[in-house]
Amino acid sequence: MKILYAASEAAPFVKTGGLADVAGSLPKALNEAGAQTRVILPLYSAIDLKWRERMTFLFHIDVQLSWRRQYCGVFCLEHDGVTYYFVDNEYYFKRDSIYGCFDDGERFGFFSRAVVEAIPRLGWTPDIIHCNDWQTALVPIYLRYEIADVYRSIKSVFTIHNIEYQGRFGPGTAEDVFALPQELCDSGIIWYENDVNLMKGAIYESDSVTTVSPSYADELQNPDFANGLHAVVESNSYKLSGILNGIDTVRYDPAKDPLLAKNYSAADLSGKSVCKAELCRELGLSDEPGTPIIACISRLVEHKGFALITEALDEIIAKGARLVIIGTGEERLENFFCDAENRYRGSVSASIMYSESRAMRIYAGSDMLLMPSRSEPCGLSQMIAMRYGTVPIVREVGGLKDTVRNLGGENANGFSFREYSASGLLGAVDFALRTYRGDPATWRLIMLSDMTADLSWSSSAVSYINIYKRLMGN
Ligand code: GLC
């Protein structure tokens, strides 16, 4: 079973969000489960020289899209038992940032077209192309209209990591940028409110659609969550499945993580308090034993629930907790947390930055992780936190609902609330703080159940393989 996994980012090469974690860990898990998975990515200038030095040049082709004809080099390297292909074109990928350019549609249109056209040259024809989010949404669309023999038996899987980003572009792009076949332009499949909508097109044109948790698969059929595409998802629900993400449990392991002040494990938790004391020192927090640290490790964007955190912040501090934030995003949120750090010296810390190593020290040194998302397709932070014995407090939505079980119910491993309101959040924070202070034995049980949970890809990799098998007809 040969799988070509196409994505716009993958750890450890290039990462802006959760997609990179998935693309950097699922392929390896698929290979361990018996598939042969290769990954294809754009060769951004952000990819470090240390990786480029290990790459081998394979071939180059010209990729034609509408009137544009562009050079496309293909490089490859092996990492962790997975083969990675990199699509090179400096005009498109030698930029200061990987997304957010005026011509993103054209850039990822080029990448998607290059993926399709590179296939006959790889000397390795995949049975399945697994695409992710709007940046690769054109692959299943192009594939549907290919007539050459090599493409005939290739099936496509399209994964929605977040329906907020659909790849919407003005009507003129259909022909001029994406060179979509006339037949497709004449149909309703790629149009949404007079724009080209690449995600919508992929939902129709791929052979199977997946998303990253079972609850999000349900929510995608609900107008409150689907950003206008609920009816589209619903009419394609016969081929939709929700498969929970895993995390790389080798990389995220408090017993071995080299970034921590001291390692620890479920069998010996003592290192965690060393990590907490070190974290207080690093961030300039007052080190009062017994005062819990609540962490928020997230992009600072509205749908992560920051409206609730900003509203509840004074009260969280009044309840005697300390709050640690790390992330970048909307300027007004960045300013709000910098201001909060000034108002509550020693109790609030705001790291307006993207730093993997500091984030890991926060996961390890905190007691709780707060994630009150308005919507959350899967969420990886709560799983990483659990692995580090940092108890999640989450809103019951999407993947958060599928991974965190509130204290009081069966197999509790954290705290959760349903209503999207500051009072809902404060209720859960209050319950967590009371348990932390008043019932250390229960707290310890929750930590241990988090740290020993199976958060790996093993069972989800099998679910993907079953989908691939079904598509291949065996
Ligand atoms: C997106 C989603 C997040 C998910 C990740 C990986 O970033 O917002 O919930 O965990 O993709 O699938």
Side-chain angles (χ1 to χ4, degrees):
M1 179 187 284
K2 291 181 285 194
I3 320 295
L4 183 61
Y5 196 88
S8 54
E9 52 182 282
F13 308 105
V14 54
K15 169 171 167 175
T16 70
L19 169 61
D21 286 299
V22 173
S25 55
L26 172 60
K28 187 173 146 206
L30 291 170
N31 289 355
E32 281 160 8
Q36 204 190 104
T37 312
R38 300 186 177 183
V39 180
I40 188 160
L41 302 166
L43 183 56
Y44 304 103
S45 47
I47 296 178
D48 204 273
L49 192 63
K50 85 167 187 225
W51 299 116
R52 289 169 179 266
E53 281 169 348
R54 288 177 42 191
M55 292 177 191
T56 318
F57 174 78
L58 293 181
F59 55 84
H60 72 87
I61 49 178
D62 278 341
V63 169
Q64 177 116 28
L65 256 187
S66 182
W67 52 270
R68 297 173 187 79
R69 198 180 178 84
Q70 286 281 351
Y71 166 88
C72 161
V74 176
F75 288 77
C76 111
L77 81 75
E78 296 278 323
H79 175 67
D80 249 2
V82 178
T83 299
Y84 291 84
Y85 296 111
F86 293 88
V87 169
D88 178 34
N89 174 299
E90 292 202 342
Y91 171 66
Y92 288 131
F93 302 129
K94 194 174 174 185
R95 304 275 175 105
D96 291 339
S97 55
I98 79 166
Y99 310 129
C101 303
F102 74 96
D103 57 350
D104 275 5
E106 185 182 324
R107 296 168 69 225
F108 292 102
F110 163 80
F111 176 61
S112 299
R113 189 69 221 163
V115 169
V116 173
E117 293 199 8
I119 287 173
R121 299 289 303 273
L122 296 177
W124 178 88
T125 308
D127 302 300
I128 307 280
I129 301 194
H130 189 149
C131 302
N132 296 278
D133 281 350
W134 76 262
Q135 292 87 349
T136 49
L138 278 161
V139 175
I141 298 173
Y142 289 144
L143 209 57
R144 187 66 79 200
Y145 291 86
E146 288 303 330
I147 45 169
D149 268 353
V150 56
Y151 299 109
R152 283 243 171 94
S153 60
I154 304 179
K155 301 284 192 232
S156 60
V157 175
F158 180 67
T159 296
I160 301 170
H161 293 264
N162 196 336
I163 207 155
E164 309 232 351
Y165 309 104
Q166 299 176 357
R168 278 181 72 159
F169 300 96
T173 58
E175 283 170 52
D176 184 68
V177 176
F178 303 126
L180 296 172
Q182 195 56 47
E183 192 188 333
L184 183 59
C185 295
D186 292 343
S187 77
I189 285 177
I190 46 133
W191 298 107
Y192 181 80
E193 289 178 346
N194 279 328
D195 277 338
V196 171
N197 186 314
L198 300 181
M199 189 170 265
K200 179 180 171 194
I203 293 172
Y204 276 105
E205 297 289 30
S206 52
D207 296 300
S208 171
V209 179
T210 75
T211 190
V212 290
S213 70
S215 290
Y216 197 57
D218 291 340
E219 289 164 359
L220 286 179
Q221 297 170 62
N222 171 336
D224 293 341
F225 289 96
N227 285 63
L229 293 189
H230 55 280
V232 171
V233 176
E234 202 182 351
S235 54
N236 287 280
S237 59
Y238 68 95
K239 57 178 179 184
L240 172 71
S241 12
I243 302 175
L244 198 64
N245 285 335
I247 57 171
D248 183 339
T249 49
V250 174
R251 174 159 176 261
Y252 296 119
D253 180 0
K256 302 222 175 73
D257 192 332
L259 298 167
L260 308 192
K262 188 148 197 272
N263 290 113
Y264 60 93
S265 66
D268 177 7
L269 285 170
S270 59
K272 188 160 170 80
S273 41
V274 178
C275 292
K276 184 172 174 180
E278 255 322 287
L279 182 67
C280 290
R281 212 187 44 79
E282 176 178 349
L283 302 179
L285 290 172
S286 54
D287 187 11
E288 302 152 34
T291 311
I293 297 181
I294 304 179
C296 286
I297 303 172
S298 169
R299 278 181 297 128
L300 304 182
V301 291
E302 197 274 333
H303 69 259
K304 296 288 179 183
F306 280 101
L308 308 193
I309 301 181
T310 52
E311 193 181 332
L313 182 122
D314 291 331
E315 215 161 316
I316 293 174
I317 304 304
K319 287 178 192 293
R322 285 170 291 169
L323 194 68
V324 168
I325 304 262
I326 182 165
T328 59
E330 291 170 22
E331 203 180 329
R332 104 198 129 78
L333 291 171
E334 294 184 350
N335 292 340
F336 174 88
F337 288 112
C338 289
D339 176 59
E341 181 179 67
N342 287 329
R343 281 192 291 135
Y344 293 109
R345 283 256 161 241
S347 296
V348 173
S349 154
S351 302
I352 307 301
M353 57 162 78
Y354 182 83
S355 159
E356 192 86 17
S357 54
R358 177 170 286 182
M360 292 323 296
R361 292 194 292 274
I362 295 177
Y363 279 118
S366 303
D367 300 289
M368 304 162 201
L369 179 96
L370 185 56
M371 231 173 141
S373 307
R374 186 164 52 70
S375 69
E376 195 59 74
C378 177
L380 299 170
S381 303
Q382 84 279 16
M383 291 197 262
I384 301 172
M386 284 159 72
R387 184 100 173 113
Y388 284 75
T390 298
V391 175
I393 306 173
V394 305
R395 175 150 180 265
E396 289 159 21
V397 69
L400 297 173
K401 184 158 122 192
D402 295 341
T403 50
V404 177
R405 295 172 300 274
N406 194 23
L407 180 60
E410 249 172 75
N411 298 323
N413 63 356
F415 298 84
S416 64
F417 63 101
R418 188 159 312 157
E419 195 191 283
Y420 188 68
S421 68
S423 63
L425 176 147
L426 281 165
V429 167
D430 194 57
F431 187 21
L433 292 176
R434 277 187 287 119
T435 310
Y436 177 86
R437 292 196 180 107
D439 191 353
T442 299
W443 191 264
R444 194 183 152 84
L445 282 180
I446 297 177
M447 281 174 75
L448 294 181
S449 106
D450 285 337
M451 294 179 78
T452 53
D454 181 9
L455 302 167
S456 77
W457 274 106
S458 50
S459 76
S460 295
V462 172
S463 306
Y464 280 112
I465 288 195
N466 288 337
I467 290 180
Y468 303 151
K469 277 191 185 149
R470 210 162 54 227
L471 294 180
M472 289 164 65
N474 51 32

